Amino acid sequence: MHNNSKPSPQEDLYARIHCVVQAKQHLEKEIQAISASGEVAASSCWIVRYLAKGRKSVYWYYKLQASTAIFPTKIDGKSSRYKHLGKAGSQAYLDAVEQIFLKAKIEALDRSIKTLNQGLKDLIQETSKYNKDE
C-alpha cells in the first residue's frame, strides 16, 4: 500500500531548499564549463562596427572595445581600450563574436544564480518559523 499523505509543510520547505541548491549547483557547473571551453570576453567588452576609408573605397571594420584599457598593445607595453578585429568574417572577428557570446551566457547564468540566491535566502528565512516551534 502506498503512502499518499502529503509531506508536512516543513518537509516541503526542506525539499524546496534542496531543489534550489541543486539548481544553483547546476548553473555554477555550467559557468565553469563555459569558462573552460574557451576565451570569454571581459564583462566590459562589446563589438563595434566602424567605417574605414581606404584609398579607393570605404568599408566596414570591427573592433572589440572595452570601457577601460585592457588590451595589450605592441607599443611600450601599454594597454588600449580597443582591439582591432578587421573585416567581418576574419578569424579575429569570429573569435571576438564567440567570446562575447560566451560572456553573455555567463552573465545570464549569473543573473539566474542571483535569483536562486534570493530564493534560497527567503526559504532559509522561512525555516525560522519552524525553528521557533521546536
Side-chain angles (χ1 to χ4, degrees):
M1 182 179 229
H2 294 298
N3 185 358
N4 291 331
S5 65
K6 284 182 157 181
S8 72
Q10 191 173 6
E11 290 170 332
D12 177 62
L13 175 62
Y14 289 121
R16 287 184 287 134
I17 288 171
H18 178 72
C19 288
V20 171
V21 168
Q22 281 188 317
K24 182 180 168 193
Q25 289 171 345
H26 173 73
L27 296 181
E28 288 168 342
K29 284 180 185 175
E30 217 170 308
I31 288 173
Q32 290 172 350
I34 291 168
S35 296
S37 73
E39 189 175 343
V40 177
S43 62
S44 65
C45 290
W46 63 97
I47 295 175
V48 176
R49 184 177 90 156
Y50 64 97
L51 194 59
K53 294 181 183 182
R55 291 182 190 158
K56 297 180 182 179
S57 65
V58 294
Y59 47 91
W60 291 107
Y61 251 153
Y62 294 84
K63 62 185 169 184
L64 191 58
Q65 185 169 331
S67 55
T68 60
I70 61 169
F71 301 109
T73 62
K74 295 176 184 174
I75 305 169
D76 299 334
K78 293 184 179 180
S79 295
S80 172
R81 290 180 47 215
Y82 311 101
K83 179 180 179 183
H84 295 279
L85 304 173
K87 294 181 179 181
S90 69
Q91 191 59 54
Y93 168 84
L94 295 173
D95 290 346
V97 169
E98 178 68 17
Q99 292 167 16
I100 294 292
F101 173 69
L102 294 176
K103 173 189 79 145
K105 285 175 73 173
I106 289 173
E107 288 172 347
L109 290 166
D110 279 337
R111 286 190 300 274
S112 295
I113 289 171
K114 285 180 183 175
T115 300
L116 289 170
N117 282 336
Q118 185 60 56
L120 194 56
K121 182 180 171 186
D122 294 342
L123 289 170
I124 290 170
Q125 196 173 32
E126 194 177 329
T127 63
S128 67
K129 75 179 180 182
Y130 295 107
N131 293 336
K132 287 179 187 176
D133 296 339
E134 293 176 0

